[in-house]
Amino acid sequence: MILPNKNQPADPLYLDTWKGNLGIYVRIIKLLRPHWKLSLGAIVCLGLSTGLALVVPWLLAWVIDTGLRHGQFSTLLLATVAILVTSSLRGLFAYGQGYLSQAVSNHVAYDLRNTLYDHLQTLSFSFHDESETGQLMSRLTVDIEAVRNFIPLGLLRGLLALVYFGAISVILFRLDWRLALVTMLSVPLLIVLSIQVSRRLRPLWLGVQNETGALGTIMQENLSGMRVVKAFAREEFAISRYDAQNRQVRELNMSAMRLAAWNQPLMVLILNAITVLIVWLGGIAVIGHQLSLGVLVAATTYILLLATPVRSFGYMVNWFLRGLSGGIRIFSVMDTAPTIADAPGAATLKHVKGQVRFEHVSFAYGNGREVLHDINIDAQPGQIIAILGATGSGKSSILHLLPRFYDVSKGRVLIDGRDVREVTLSSLRRSVGLVLQDVFLFNATLRDNIAYGVNDATDEQIIEAAKAARIHDFALALPDGYDTWVGERGVTLSGGQKQRVAIARTLLLDPRILILDDSTSSVDMETEYLIQQALDVVMQGRTTFVVASRLRTIKNADQILVLDQGSIVERGSHETLLAQGGAYTRLYDLQLREQEEFEERMMASTHGSEERKAS
Amino acid sequence: MKSDPHKNHNDNSRRKYWRENSLESSDENISGKFDWHLVKKFAPYLARYRGWTIASVVLMLLYTVFSLANPYLIGVAIDQFISHGNLGGLAIICIILIVINVLMWQAQYWQVWTMSWAGQQILYLLSTDMFTHLQQLSLSFYDRTQIGRVMSRLQTDIDVLESMLSSGLLSMLGSLVSLVGIVIAMLIMNVPLALLSFTVLPIMFVITAFWQKHAQRSFRRTRAAISVVNATLQENISGMRVIQSLAREDRNRSEFDELNAYNRDTNNDASRIAALILPLVEVVAALAIAITVLFGGVQVSRGSLTVGVLVAFTLYINRFFDPIRDISQQYSQLQRAGVAAERIFQILEMPVDIVDKPGAEELPQIEGDVEFRSVTFGYSRDMPVLRDFNLHIKAGQTVAIVGPTGAGKSTIAGLLARFYDIQQGAVLVDGHDVRDVTQRSLRSQIGVVLQEPFLFTGTIRDNIRYGRLAASDEEVAEAARAVGAHDLIAQLPDGYDTPIRERGRNLSVGQRQLISFARALLSDPRILILDEATANIDTFTELIVQQGLKRLLDGRTALVIAHRLSTIKGADNIVVLQAGRIAEQGTHAQLLQQNGIYASLYAMGFRHTSFDDIDHANIDAPSTVS
């Protein structure tokens, strides 16, 4: 299923109107502005090479009319040399045009890619929540490519066709105005035909694009969920789903192609019919001695020259359409304003002590449903705040508000008494370290991954962090040590190892405030022990917010917050909460009491056995 | 499978093995040579649409003949009729010209259409075949292959073929035909002049060959550059949260800019070379025209050649170079398509290593008795993961498997569902060897719940229904209720119709896992495999999940792989696995008494106690372990 362009605002710019489309083209053309020298060069070369191309038939006409009639070899030779010279010059300018137009489009693609990437970096989490990686990638690849190709293949060729038409009609008018008028008959016909076809072709191509995207999603999902597909023996279901979608893509493709196949030869036919008309009318005129044969020959040659641009009309229309839809999709992302940005005059957050306050904070995600209601937290520097609650109770949301991944809808979040919205994002986020639930490692060496957040970390610092995160021994055991490449999405590391790399990464940042979204349970007990040790080190001397599931962490916490459906229902230390006899106590009774007693017994017995051994 | 002598360097050798055996290596090694064997592989696809292809080729020949007749007839009109003042003849020839042009129009339309039609059918067949084949490949293929690379074959390579099939191939063929036609027409018209203009051809060939070599190299470089750019973009978009949370945007911007600029410069270099070919052809064409005009002019002035022939001849020379220009441009496209086809056939020819035996029977409705009989298995033949493994699970029993990472726990689960084939021994379900029955009938009676619950896009309802496609809405809701997912789902604004985003990102892991439980319950399997299914669930959700789990396990044979004591403790039999062998087995109580590996694991787990490792069995009716 492909999501309709959710991020696309209902701006008149994107509506499929004549004016809106023109706006997109104008915006694409504006992209050329920084490269105006190259663009101008391309256009000049285009004009000159076209002009020179038109000189050759004129030379031929001259040869036939004067050179041959007088039979002078010197005239013939002169004409030959002239043809060679103009052609060489033409080749030179054609080269300039070909290269420069490509260069311009390469520059534009480079600019677009940079701007788009940059913009994606500034867009906040809520945008990235809504958009799928595949969709964004297709904008960065297919759509940029469409705009890039549009410049030489659509825009410049369109210009070329115009110049060609213009120049040839000027020449024709100078040769014989009557023949010229007849030729010009084709222009309105061609224009009407092009407009009509592009109007019908556009929705077809859009359909092809969307359905192909949907086909891609089906494929991607099927391949990455192969284990599930196989486990449920759903191969046939998957095939029939793919097949149905594939069929739809094929049908749409064929209707688009049928239209294109109809259109292009029709354009050539129009031109050829005009040529025949010229030969006929011109022939009559020549016979009636109103026209010289040379002029007629030249005129037909010129008209035949029009065949090339006309033949490329079909492709041109295609590139215009692709450029348009690519432009729309790219600009729609670029026009999405980041919901979270530095306030004007935002200050740098410096020398953070680590006091954190949530004051009457309410919060809702993009879809409007409030997930946090009137949250109040007061964390003193160095405190550990444990957050407990069921799935969907809002634990992660609290954690996301602190580094300002989202903005609160009511109330405020303060660090050392300053609203997080009043400081720069980069200084804020550098002061807040995160170990997220889903550890993402980059396709780089282990060293680079640990040092990912810090610009100029020394080897000593990296190793120190790795030691503290209990990943150092593992790193040394790798074939290339810290220079070992960590594969795509860190596939060569186990979950526990990835987690510890992420801890080292955060540790190297040395943040005063730490956020741990704890999901280390997917590892075996030994790894868990290592991670626990690593976390103990990390939490020392920092204000720590932890979504906790470990008893020891909870017991060590200065404050325990029990969340239920977006509200804090209980708060306090382990002891005070136990004394209260509320939700926490129930939990403790059900799950902890027996275990604690058991642990004591185990400890005693191991202790006892060790003592016995010692004695 | 290929053996690797250096199996000591475990990690390295594995990667090397992947590289050798996966699709990876062929990706960047674009040979640049056109492989004619591909034509043979392609032939059956073309043969299916023989009629259309032949029609298309015939129409193309017609079109070419018509398009060549055009300038010839114009020449005739000038020479025969206009020069001689024959008005009637001129009118006739103009009518003939019109008729020919209309015919040409129709021929071209039908030719393009038939070719596109056949091309689309072939592409459709190819991609469906490829997809179907991918469904048959065993999990070992997916273990060692990156999805992105397979995807690029299904998308990019099909795209390349598409442009080749729908326009490139035919226009290239058309160019060749018209080249031959033009050569013949020129020879008929005037042999000396024709031969004279052909003298420039050797120059042409030398230039083109030289250009090809350089262009090919630079094109390949641009492809490599853009693939690095795209891979980097893909990675950065996926990791955007990390980038933003580490406030690393500036550095990434400059790093990306560097790469992006490299890509731009590579492309500019390529453009510099690519732009050469057209002007070169142009100049050579001009040379030919100049020669013709010079010699033809002399002949005309001597009266041995008519003006009309000379005019037609210069027109033909222009046309003569059109196909040459097209061919030289399309040659690289042909090469690219060759590479694409090669990559597609690589997938289609990837051997399917797990197939139903000829005459394999449907597995009848089973009780759920499972036996591993001296099973030896390794993902690579010389590195066995399980050695002489024996385990019997009676119908309705729950067996938990514990052990350190890499002990082979998940392997056992994979073998039971026959995701992999064993090397020695037998895996029996109700006494049937899993290799003797159809995979479909086997797997439809085995349910698997994985650590990473994988959901498909679509609604929550669709995802639960994945377990049994024919299930009604009530049955879906009932399954959800049974595993305790109903309340969570009902809480969502759209309830069961809530759309699931890419990989279920809009739901928490716990919610996703509950949905996958409901999915498994709906399929009502006799045997259930839980592969660390509870590992990612937080404490509070686990309370709910445990109840769902109990309902799920009720009356089924279950193979449970778990780290959590809660899931382990209630099992009828606990198997402690170490390095592919059973080290201990028994009930929780028995194993604790033995004071062996399990007891020490248990103790260690508790010393670093977590809420997770707590038995929730006594929340409701305690399941007593005897």
Side-chain angles (χ1 to χ4, degrees):
Chain A
M1 186 186 74
I2 235 160
L3 291 170
N5 277 326
K6 280 208 160 175
N7 315 314
Q8 196 168 302
D11 193 296
L13 189 64
Y14 305 117
L15 296 180
D16 191 11
T17 60
W18 185 83
K19 229 176 161 179
N21 292 347
L22 196 70
I24 296 288
Y25 287 126
V26 169
R27 253 179 108 169
I28 293 177
I29 291 168
K30 273 188 186 157
L31 296 172
L32 298 175
R33 195 185 283 161
H35 315 291
W36 67 273
K37 279 183 195 161
L38 286 176
S39 313
L40 197 67
I43 291 171
V44 167
C45 285
L46 174 80
L48 286 174
S49 73
T50 311
L52 288 168
L54 299 178
V55 169
V56 176
W58 178 78
L59 279 171
L60 279 176
W62 181 71
V63 169
I64 291 165
D65 274 356
T66 56
L68 293 182
R69 203 152 295 159
H70 306 300
Q72 279 175 331
F73 188 71
S74 60
T75 328
L76 216 52
L77 200 64
L78 190 69
T80 314
V81 172
I83 287 175
L84 270 181
V85 169
T86 46
S87 291
S88 304
L89 278 175
R90 190 199 159 198
L92 191 69
F93 289 119
Y95 175 75
Q97 179 235 314
Y99 167 63
L100 289 175
S101 63
Q102 285 294 332
V104 168
S105 69
N106 288 336
H107 278 285
V108 168
Y110 160 82
D111 290 347
L112 273 179
R113 223 172 260 131
N114 260 3
T115 331
L116 206 54
Y117 174 71
D118 243 23
H119 194 69
L120 286 178
Q121 284 203 135
T122 63
L123 287 173
S124 41
F125 274 36
S126 51
F127 173 86
H128 290 283
D129 291 343
E130 291 289 315
S131 46
E132 291 175 9
T133 312
Q135 288 279 334
L136 290 181
M137 272 311 283
S138 95
R139 281 160 214 242
L140 277 156
T141 53
V142 182
D143 293 331
I144 286 188
E145 204 59 15
V147 171
R148 180 177 102 114
N149 284 325
F150 161 71
I151 291 166
L153 300 176
L155 198 60
L156 215 68
R157 270 209 200 159
L159 209 61
L160 178 75
L162 275 183
V163 169
Y164 240 80
F165 256 103
I168 288 176
S169 39
V170 167
I171 293 171
L172 284 175
F173 271 108
R174 297 198 60 177
L175 279 174
D176 187 274
W177 66 271
R178 289 158 302 183
L179 290 183
L181 272 185
V182 175
T183 314
M184 288 305 115
L185 270 181
S186 65
V187 174
L189 280 175
L190 289 176
I191 288 175
V192 167
L193 203 64
S194 299
I195 289 176
Q196 222 188 9
V197 161
S198 55
R199 205 169 270 161
R200 284 171 60 198
L201 209 52
R202 173 116 198 269
L204 283 178
W205 279 130
L206 262 172
V208 169
Q209 226 170 25
N210 285 338
E211 297 306 318
T212 312
L215 189 69
T217 309
I218 291 178
M219 219 148 49
Q220 163 92 49
E221 254 186 11
N222 169 272
L223 295 178
S224 31
M226 189 51 81
R227 220 164 243 280
V228 177
V229 174
K230 289 216 178 263
F232 283 93
R234 284 280 173 271
E235 289 95 337
E236 279 158 42
F237 176 64
I239 291 170
S240 70
R241 229 182 122 195
Y242 179 84
D243 187 62
Q245 186 63 31
N246 200 6
R247 221 174 261 269
Q248 203 168 343
V249 170
R250 182 190 62 184
E251 296 311 320
L252 273 168
N253 246 326
M254 291 214 284
S255 0
M257 280 178 174
R258 184 158 203 167
L259 194 57
W262 176 258
N263 173 46
Q264 198 231 329
L266 190 59
M267 290 190 161
V268 175
L269 174 71
I270 290 173
L271 188 74
N272 285 345
I274 296 287
T275 317
V276 174
L277 204 60
I278 292 285
V279 170
W280 189 40
L281 294 176
I284 293 170
V286 170
I287 292 168
H289 299 291
Q290 287 151 314
L291 193 71
S292 80
L293 184 60
V295 169
L296 180 61
V297 169
T300 37
T301 319
Y302 279 119
I303 293 167
L304 283 177
L305 275 180
L306 283 178
T308 319
V310 167
R311 223 179 294 147
S312 68
F313 255 42
Y315 301 110
M316 234 166 59
V317 166
N318 210 344
W319 284 116
F320 262 89
L321 291 180
R322 284 202 208 179
L324 181 67
S325 62
I328 288 176
R329 284 158 56 93
I330 291 171
F331 294 139
S332 80
V333 174
M334 282 190 187
D335 294 346
T336 309
T339 47
I340 291 180
D342 286 346
T348 316
L349 191 63
K350 269 187 277 195
H351 311 298
V352 178
K353 288 194 201 71
Q355 191 220 32
V356 176
R357 282 175 64 89
F358 280 65
E359 287 179 357
H360 303 290
V361 167
S362 294
F363 172 64
Y365 285 102
N367 54 19
R369 208 164 55 97
E370 205 173 83
V371 290
L372 292 177
H373 323 285
D374 197 31
I375 300 288
N376 288 289
I377 303 173
D378 188 353
Q380 293 308 314
Q383 278 194 336
I384 296 174
I385 316 292
I387 303 174
L388 282 80
T391 291
S393 61
K395 291 173 296 182
S396 308
S397 304
I398 290 188
L399 302 188
H400 282 154
L401 293 179
L402 194 45
R404 213 184 153 209
F405 291 145
Y406 303 90
D407 270 342
V408 297
S409 44
K410 268 189 228 130
R412 51 187 193 151
V413 178
L414 306 168
I415 290 181
D416 288 358
R418 298 173 81 164
D419 194 318
V420 291
R421 286 169 295 192
E422 286 164 7
V423 295
T424 61
L425 278 173
S426 61
S427 67
L428 170 68
R429 290 180 182 165
R430 286 210 179 102
S431 321
V432 180
L434 273 113
V435 179
L436 295 169
Q437 202 175 24
D438 181 19
V439 175
F440 186 92
L441 296 185
F442 288 86
N443 196 19
T445 63
L446 190 59
R447 182 196 314 275
D448 290 344
N449 264 298
I450 294 175
Y452 200 78
V454 180
N455 270 335
D456 36 23
T458 64
D459 275 6
E460 287 75 46
Q461 287 172 315
I462 290 170
I463 290 171
E464 201 185 318
K467 275 182 179 160
R470 301 289 185 272
I471 194 74
H472 179 67
D473 290 339
F474 167 75
L476 290 186
L478 289 172
D480 299 322
Y482 281 95
D483 294 318
T484 304
W485 207 261
V486 179
E488 198 179 73
R489 295 211 87 180
V491 278
T492 48
L493 299 189
S494 75
Q497 287 154 352
K498 281 201 269 184
Q499 185 108 27
R500 281 177 283 154
V501 172
I503 292 172
R505 181 164 76 187
T506 307
L507 208 52
L508 200 58
L509 272 176
D510 195 22
R512 300 313 309 150
I513 301 165
L514 194 67
I515 291 174
L516 301 174
D517 199 344
D518 178 356
S519 71
T520 54
S521 45
S522 62
V523 295
D524 55 52
M525 292 166 189
E526 258 183 87
T527 313
E528 178 157 335
Y529 174 62
L530 287 174
I531 291 174
Q532 186 60 55
Q533 281 191 320
L535 288 180
D536 286 348
V537 177
V538 177
M539 285 194 264
Q540 265 163 31
R542 301 174 211 275
T543 312
T544 306
F545 284 77
V546 54
V547 168
S549 56
R550 289 182 175 73
L551 174 61
R552 197 169 66 171
T553 315
I554 296 168
K555 276 175 100 172
N556 286 347
D558 300 285
Q559 297 182 41
I560 299 169
L561 309 175
V562 183
L563 270 181
D564 186 34
Q565 296 190 11
S567 301
I568 296 177
V569 289
E570 261 182 69
R571 64 172 82 217
S573 69
H574 178 67
E575 283 75 23
T576 51
L577 282 179
L578 271 190
Q580 267 179 26
Y584 184 80
T585 316
R586 272 201 302 283
L587 200 78
Y588 181 80
D589 282 346
L590 282 173
Q591 303 181 42
L592 293 179
R593 181 151 295 162
E594 190 200 350
Q595 299 312 320
E596 215 168 8
E597 285 161 8
F598 180 84
E599 187 183 351
E600 275 160 20
R601 259 203 330 267
M602 285 296 285
M603 293 285 272
S605 81
T606 359
H607 221 70
S609 66
E610 272 162 17
E611 273 172 6
R612 271 198 301 280
K613 263 181 221 161
S615 65
Chain B
M1 274 192 229
K2 224 170 151 183
S3 68
D4 198 310
H6 309 290
K7 59 182 171 189
N8 306 349
H9 306 290
N10 213 325
D11 225 42
N12 243 350
S13 75
R14 198 168 47 185
R15 234 174 285 155
K16 195 174 162 214
Y17 164 78
W18 285 346
R19 215 168 293 140
E20 280 171 358
N21 289 274
S22 72
L23 306 162
E24 194 180 295
S25 55
S26 61
D27 258 21
E28 272 77 35
N29 296 336
I30 294 162
S31 59
K33 273 195 196 120
F34 186 71
D35 185 0
W36 288 101
H37 289 291
L38 286 171
V39 177
K40 217 161 56 189
K41 290 176 191 166
F42 221 81
Y45 286 96
L46 272 173
R48 253 184 107 149
Y49 300 99
R50 201 183 304 120
W52 292 83
T53 317
I54 291 170
S56 187
V57 170
V58 169
L59 285 164
M60 184 196 64
L61 287 173
L62 275 176
Y63 163 75
T64 311
V65 169
F66 290 143
S67 73
L68 289 176
N70 237 340
Y72 175 76
L73 287 176
I74 290 176
V76 170
I78 291 171
D79 276 354
Q80 305 288 316
F81 303 108
I82 297 177
S83 309
H84 297 108
N86 186 344
L87 274 173
L90 180 64
I92 289 170
I93 205 156
C94 282
I95 289 166
I96 293 174
L97 265 169
I98 288 285
V99 170
I100 280 181
N101 273 306
V102 169
L103 287 177
M104 183 169 103
W105 165 51
Q106 280 302 309
Q108 199 189 359
Y109 165 62
W110 287 106
Q111 177 244 302
V112 173
W113 171 228
T114 46
M115 195 63 210
S116 316
W117 194 90
Q120 286 298 319
Q121 302 297 329
I122 289 171
L123 286 172
Y124 161 76
L125 270 186
L126 261 181
S127 50
T128 299
D129 280 1
M130 189 149 57
F131 189 81
T132 308
H133 192 75
L134 283 169
Q135 304 302 307
Q136 287 158 358
L137 290 175
S138 70
L139 282 184
S140 49
F141 169 80
Y142 290 95
D143 290 345
R144 58 171 196 254
T145 311
Q146 281 176 7
I147 305 295
R149 292 178 185 269
V150 181
M151 285 287 289
S152 95
R153 276 159 213 249
L154 270 160
Q155 293 179 311
T156 324
D157 290 332
I158 289 277
D159 272 357
V160 171
L161 266 193
E162 173 166 18
S163 61
M164 190 67 212
L165 279 176
S166 60
S167 63
L169 196 62
L170 211 71
S171 74
M172 196 156 164
L173 212 61
S175 301
L176 273 175
V177 171
S178 58
L179 187 65
V180 172
I182 289 166
V183 165
I184 291 170
M186 285 166 85
L187 283 171
I188 288 174
M189 224 185 283
N190 192 304
V191 176
L193 266 187
L195 290 179
L196 204 62
S197 38
F198 297 157
T199 52
V200 298
L201 279 183
I203 308 175
M204 194 68 237
F205 285 134
V206 170
I207 288 175
T208 313
F210 188 73
W211 176 80
Q212 265 297 331
K213 218 176 78 188
H214 286 267
Q216 202 63 42
R217 201 183 302 148
S218 70
F219 288 163
R220 221 174 293 157
R221 221 172 280 146
T222 61
R223 278 202 290 277
I226 192 69
S227 81
V228 178
V229 168
N230 288 342
T232 307
L233 279 172
Q234 167 98 46
E235 186 179 56
N236 281 358
I237 291 177
S238 315
M240 192 54 82
R241 278 148 223 270
V242 179
I243 293 169
Q244 290 194 357
S245 65
L246 293 173
R248 200 185 192 265
E249 290 98 330
D250 288 339
R251 212 169 122 199
N252 278 37
R253 178 178 305 142
S254 65
E255 276 178 16
F256 178 70
D257 177 60
E258 213 173 296
L259 182 61
N260 195 8
Y262 165 72
N263 173 57
R264 178 197 60 200
D265 297 340
T266 314
N267 269 292
N268 275 347
D269 288 343
S271 306
R272 211 166 280 145
I273 296 171
L276 264 178
I277 190 69
L278 283 187
L280 283 177
V281 174
E282 225 59 69
V283 170
V284 175
L287 193 63
I289 291 177
I291 294 171
T292 312
V293 167
L294 190 61
F295 287 86
V298 170
Q299 280 181 307
V300 168
S301 59
R302 283 188 197 141
S304 55
L305 191 73
T306 63
V307 177
V309 170
L310 185 60
V311 170
F313 219 87
T314 48
L315 288 180
Y316 273 127
I317 288 175
N318 265 326
R319 295 218 161 192
F320 174 64
F321 281 92
D322 278 345
I324 291 182
R325 199 165 19 206
D326 287 349
I327 290 170
S328 63
Q329 273 186 313
Q330 265 151 11
Y331 185 66
S332 58
Q333 205 199 345
L334 185 72
Q335 280 181 323
R336 277 216 337 254
V339 174
E342 202 179 288
R343 285 156 52 99
I344 287 169
F345 282 113
Q346 257 173 13
I347 290 212
L348 281 173
E349 284 163 6
M350 191 78 63
V352 177
D353 44 5
I354 295 186
V355 283
D356 286 345
K357 227 179 178 169
E361 282 171 26
E362 295 277 308
L363 182 65
Q365 182 71 38
I366 54 166
E367 291 293 316
D369 182 274
V370 172
E371 191 184 351
F372 287 79
R373 199 180 280 165
S374 13
V375 167
T376 298
F377 170 77
Y379 293 98
S380 152
R381 240 165 218 291
D382 46 328
M383 283 189 269
V385 177
L386 293 178
R387 296 183 195 84
D388 194 27
F389 177 79
N390 284 290
L391 180 66
H392 189 197
I393 310 173
K394 291 196 192 75
Q397 270 194 338
T398 298
V399 170
I401 300 178
V402 295
T405 309
K409 290 171 296 183
S410 298
T411 308
I412 294 172
L415 294 181
L416 178 54
R418 206 186 163 208
F419 288 148
Y420 307 92
D421 265 345
I422 56 174
Q423 276 118 27
Q424 272 170 44
V427 177
L428 305 168
V429 173
D430 275 15
H432 299 271
D433 192 314
V434 293
R435 287 166 297 189
D436 292 340
V437 295
T438 62
Q439 294 172 63
R440 201 191 145 76
S441 65
L442 172 71
R443 291 187 191 139
S444 58
Q445 299 193 56
I446 297 177
V448 183
V449 181
L450 300 164
Q451 180 182 346
E452 273 297 327
F454 189 94
L455 301 184
F456 297 91
T457 45
T459 63
I460 290 181
R461 196 194 311 279
D462 293 341
N463 269 284
I464 298 177
R465 192 174 278 148
Y466 199 81
R468 182 150 52 87
L469 299 176
S472 68
D473 283 2
E474 288 76 52
E475 286 172 309
V476 168
E478 201 185 307
R481 212 169 279 132
V483 298
H486 178 77
D487 290 342
L488 274 172
I489 297 168
Q491 259 179 33
L492 298 167
D494 296 319
Y496 282 91
D497 294 318
T498 305
I500 288 178
R501 290 276 161 70
E502 193 180 17
R503 296 191 150 227
R505 216 173 40 200
N506 52 338
L507 300 175
S508 75
V509 186
Q511 287 169 323
R512 276 183 265 163
Q513 195 58 281
L514 280 175
I515 291 170
S516 80
F517 282 175
R519 177 169 71 185
L521 184 66
L522 197 60
S523 78
D524 193 22
R526 293 304 309 145
I527 301 172
L528 196 68
I529 299 169
L530 298 182
D531 195 348
E532 319 234 356
T534 52
N536 275 328
I537 291 175
D538 64 76
T539 320
F540 285 79
T541 315
E542 198 182 356
L543 284 170
I544 307 164
V545 167
Q546 283 299 332
Q547 293 164 25
L549 207 58
K550 268 194 65 173
R551 176 74 176 72
L552 196 57
L553 295 182
D554 195 28
R556 297 174 215 280
T557 308
L559 189 66
V560 179
I561 297 160
H563 293 131
R564 292 196 187 198
L565 286 165
S566 56
T567 349
I568 301 165
K569 248 176 105 175
D572 298 309
N573 187 17
I574 298 170
V575 174
V576 181
L577 210 61
Q578 246 186 352
R581 288 178 202 278
I582 296 180
E584 292 173 5
Q585 61 178 317
T587 61
H588 178 67
Q590 288 166 347
L591 287 177
L592 275 191
Q593 251 175 2
Q594 276 185 26
N595 215 357
I597 302 168
Y598 182 78
S600 69
L601 273 175
Y602 187 63
M604 190 161 84
F606 272 150
R607 196 155 311 151
H608 318 290
T609 295
S610 75
F611 270 25
D612 297 327
D613 297 335
I614 292 161
D615 182 15
H616 301 302
N618 31 14
I619 291 170
D620 35 31
S623 66
T624 41
V625 179
S626 52

